[in-house]
Amino acid sequence: MAEYDHVLVIDFGSQYTQLIARRIRERGVYAEILPCTAKLDDIKAHNPVALILSGGPASVYDDDAPKADPALLELGVPILGICYGQQWLALEMGGEVKGAHAAEYGRRVVNVLDQHGPLFENVPTETTTWMSHGDQIERLPDGFSLIGKSDTCPVAAMADEERKIYGLQFHPEVRHSVDGSTILENFLFKIVGANTGWSMAAFEEEEIRKIREQVGDGYVIGGVSGGVDSTVMAALLHRAIGEKFLGVFVDNGLLRKDEVAQVYDILHTQLGVNLHVVDASDRFLTALSGVTDPEKKRKIIGHTFIDVFDEEATRHSEAQWLAQGTLYPDVIESVSFKGPSVTIKSHHNVGGLPETMKLKLIEPLRELFKDEVRELGARLGIPAHIVNRHPFPGPGLAVRILGEVTSERLKVLREADAIFIEELRNSGWYDKVSQALAVLLPVKSVGVMGDARTYADVIALRSVNTWDFMTADFSPLPHDLLGTVSTRIINEVRGVNRVVYDVSSKPPATVEWE
């Protein structure tokens, strides 16, 4: 990626760190995230044109407060510190940071004191921002001037114009900061002078070249699930090396209605991908027999998939490479200052495959965020209804069936889910919501159908709106739409006599039910 200007985001543990990188990339500038513990030589190796220091939940005075190498302040490139990043910057450069009288969380109006400086060019004298901090700067370091303040924050923004080092106490990367985009653009283009060489067209061309160089005369095998990530991965590898890539699609019997046929049609018939379908549905259902615990379901599905894929890889001994649809957020998580998550959802990829396979790893999407993967998929000719489809869990419908997973219960849920998604598409609501799903509950309810009393299953419908899936609100679907879905499910899905709608938010609930 040497032809692109690199902006490095130094992570101090903020929940918004990935958002900073995405905002930069959206403006055509390539951004990468490194933990604040990164060695100076690693930072230099990226040859960055600028550094952005992220926020973080800690106080700079905590015993275990995150710290970066102070030498990065001497690299001679423009620097922007955000929230904790500004406080660390001020402390390292001789300023003073103290605990605020009251922590600030939420919207705050900042008074811009220097509209003629490059950072606040075209920003009004008063701008609404998003604050989230407990400490604040009491005394500026030498060489810095005050360029922004609020009623409760004496140093909302500071600048050392000569050294091109800036600090903001608020978060310009979140949409709640009204002029945040303008401020970030001013930093990137007026202060840094970054070029806009980062684009999906350039990435596609460069990645195809790298894949061909990396693989050479070798063969690649990769798991395909029907999800966006693996579908785009398969299409990209086919574009790069053609028949030397083999996609293995394991039908675990836990997929959505007609999923196998749809995936085969798109990847093989339409795009020409070399695809092998393995029907292992009976094997998965046998392994899940009698199991009701959600985590046990996940582990059984993950281990069974690994066994099936291992067997297929053994049959195709000509393969030297294993392709995975790893995305950049997964990469970031593994090197984050906060460390990897306690619970790794290994069912999302084939990361647990046995060492006996001895395959070298290739991850062509590891530099991309989800929205960038969708953009690449569209460029590769994948239909919009696949590229833009809602997330689907690795364990499939097994985690949307509360209780034991059986072929009969799968049939009920599969039909109900298909009706819900069909009506969302027909009404134009599918693309207005972030994720929608049906859940089969482990209870039965009394009903009356015709002249007979029934005692049948209950389906719960769930639809959420979210920006990043860290938090989510239930979708305000129209009552007439919900009524249509309910009527169709009860009339068309044998064994269901009641439909309910989930109106909980995340938190405290989760998007999925298991």
Side-chain angles (χ1 to χ4, degrees):
M1 310 295 287
E3 68 273 30
Y4 307 130
D5 276 352
H6 278 56
V7 172
L8 289 185
V9 180
I10 306 301
D11 178 28
F12 286 99
S14 171
Q15 63 177 318
Y16 302 129
T17 298
Q18 292 186 30
L19 193 53
I20 299 171
R22 288 180 62 179
R23 291 286 179 265
I24 296 169
R25 290 189 183 191
E26 286 168 1
R27 282 147 185 83
V29 180
Y30 185 69
E32 286 190 61
I33 297 171
L34 291 181
C36 61
T37 51
K39 303 296 184 184
L40 187 64
D41 286 345
D42 291 338
I43 293 173
K44 287 181 176 179
H46 287 77
N47 194 26
V49 297
L51 302 176
I52 296 183
L53 314 180
S54 86
S59 165
V60 289
Y61 293 113
D62 288 345
D63 292 338
D64 57 350
K67 294 178 173 60
D69 188 335
L72 64 80
L73 301 176
E74 307 300 325
L75 290 178
V77 299
I79 297 174
L80 175 63
I82 295 174
C83 195
Y84 181 96
Q86 176 186 243
Q87 295 165 11
W88 178 83
L89 191 67
L91 198 63
E92 285 294 332
M93 301 188 78
E96 187 176 351
V97 177
K98 288 186 177 180
H101 295 299
E104 284 190 307
Y105 300 103
R107 289 180 174 85
R108 289 290 186 275
V109 173
V110 166
N111 298 308
V112 174
L113 305 178
D114 182 16
Q115 288 182 294
H116 301 294
L119 191 65
F120 285 144
E121 188 173 321
N122 298 319
V123 176
T125 55
E126 290 188 347
T127 180
T128 299
T129 68
W130 186 260
M131 297 275 194
S132 179
H133 65 98
D135 294 343
Q136 58 189 26
I137 296 171
E138 291 289 320
R139 181 172 56 81
L140 292 169
D142 291 343
F144 280 81
S145 59
L146 180 67
I147 60 172
K149 67 177 183 178
S150 74
D151 291 342
T152 51
C153 184
V155 182
M158 64 181 192
D160 182 333
E161 302 285 5
E162 185 175 340
R163 288 184 287 185
K164 295 185 177 180
I165 301 178
Y166 301 82
L168 300 171
Q169 189 54 67
F170 57 89
H171 290 271
E173 70 274 21
V174 303
R175 297 187 183 278
H176 303 300
S177 291
V178 175
D179 296 292
S181 295
T182 300
I183 294 168
L184 285 175
E185 288 172 1
N186 286 343
F187 178 72
L188 291 172
F189 303 122
K190 299 183 184 301
I191 295 170
V192 177
N195 71 49
T196 54
W198 168 255
S199 69
M200 201 46 56
F203 172 85
E204 179 188 354
E205 180 181 347
E206 173 68 7
E207 196 60 31
I208 287 173
R209 183 195 65 77
K210 285 167 58 178
I211 291 169
R212 289 171 177 167
E213 183 179 286
Q214 189 176 7
V215 173
D217 294 329
Y219 285 80
V220 181
I221 188 171
V224 177
S225 68
V228 176
D229 304 340
S230 68
T231 301
V232 173
M233 175 200 73
L236 179 63
L237 281 162
H238 175 72
R239 179 74 59 90
I241 58 176
E243 291 296 307
K244 291 193 293 184
F245 169 71
L246 173 65
V248 176
F249 184 19
V250 177
D251 178 5
N252 58 15
L254 308 170
L255 303 173
R256 289 164 286 197
K257 186 177 181 180
D258 300 328
E259 181 110 37
V260 176
Q262 290 174 6
V263 172
Y264 189 85
D265 178 63
I266 290 165
L267 279 177
H268 182 71
T269 307
Q270 296 185 37
L271 299 178
V273 174
N274 186 15
L275 187 66
H276 178 55
V277 179
V278 181
D279 185 357
S281 52
D282 289 342
R283 187 167 172 177
F284 278 84
L285 286 177
T286 299
L288 289 167
S289 178
V291 179
T292 59
D293 179 80
E295 194 55 33
K296 286 183 179 178
K297 288 182 191 176
R298 291 176 182 272
K299 288 179 178 178
I300 288 170
I301 294 166
H303 292 152
T304 306
F305 176 82
I306 288 169
D307 291 342
V308 173
F309 194 89
D310 185 23
E311 292 164 10
E312 283 304 309
T314 302
R315 291 191 185 98
H316 298 279
S317 57
E318 72 277 12
Q320 298 97 27
W321 295 86
L322 170 66
Q324 286 193 170
T326 307
L327 302 193
Y328 196 43
D330 303 318
V331 177
I332 296 166
E333 181 73 8
S334 67
V335 299
S336 167
F337 165 74
K338 297 175 288 184
S341 297
V342 175
T343 302
I344 304 297
K345 295 181 180 177
S346 58
H347 58 261
H348 284 309
N349 55 44
V350 289
L353 289 173
E355 293 183 4
T356 53
M357 289 180 61
K358 300 188 183 305
L359 296 175
K360 294 172 283 187
L361 193 62
I362 184 168
E363 298 172 306
L365 308 181
R366 65 179 283 116
E367 294 171 342
L368 301 183
F369 288 104
K370 189 76 169 188
D371 54 331
E372 294 170 329
V373 172
R374 295 185 192 279
E375 183 182 350
L376 176 60
R379 288 189 55 81
L380 292 168
I382 300 172
H385 72 276
I386 296 297
V387 169
N388 297 320
R389 75 190 313 189
H390 295 170
F392 187 63
L397 297 178
V399 293
R400 294 178 180 176
I401 293 178
L402 276 61
E404 185 180 6
V405 179
T406 66
S407 57
E408 293 78 13
R409 301 190 80 207
L410 278 164
K411 182 178 180 181
V412 169
L413 180 58
R414 196 173 279 126
E415 294 297 327
D417 179 77
I419 289 170
F420 187 26
I421 299 304
E422 181 183 344
E423 289 300 333
L424 285 172
R425 290 192 185 278
N426 290 343
S427 63
W429 271 89
Y430 185 85
D431 292 325
K432 296 178 184 178
V433 304
S434 305
Q435 186 173 352
L437 57 130
V439 180
L440 179 57
L441 303 185
V443 296
K444 293 183 181 293
S445 73
V446 173
V448 177
M449 301 179 76
D451 295 323
R453 181 179 184 273
T454 62
Y455 189 58
D457 288 324
V458 179
I459 288 287
L461 304 178
R462 176 83 158 136
S463 180
V464 299
N465 294 341
T466 178
W467 173 250
D468 55 11
F469 284 92
M470 295 172 65
T471 61
D473 293 320
F474 69 88
S475 306
L477 298 180
H479 290 181
D480 59 345
L481 172 58
L482 290 172
T484 298
V485 174
S486 175
T487 299
R488 282 197 60 192
I489 289 175
I490 291 171
N491 286 339
E492 298 175 32
V493 182
R494 190 177 182 85
V496 176
N497 67 358
R498 191 178 299 270
V499 175
V500 298
Y501 187 56
D502 182 350
V503 293
S504 19
S505 297
K506 175 187 180 183
T510 54
V511 175
E512 298 285 350
W513 276 48
E514 280 198 351

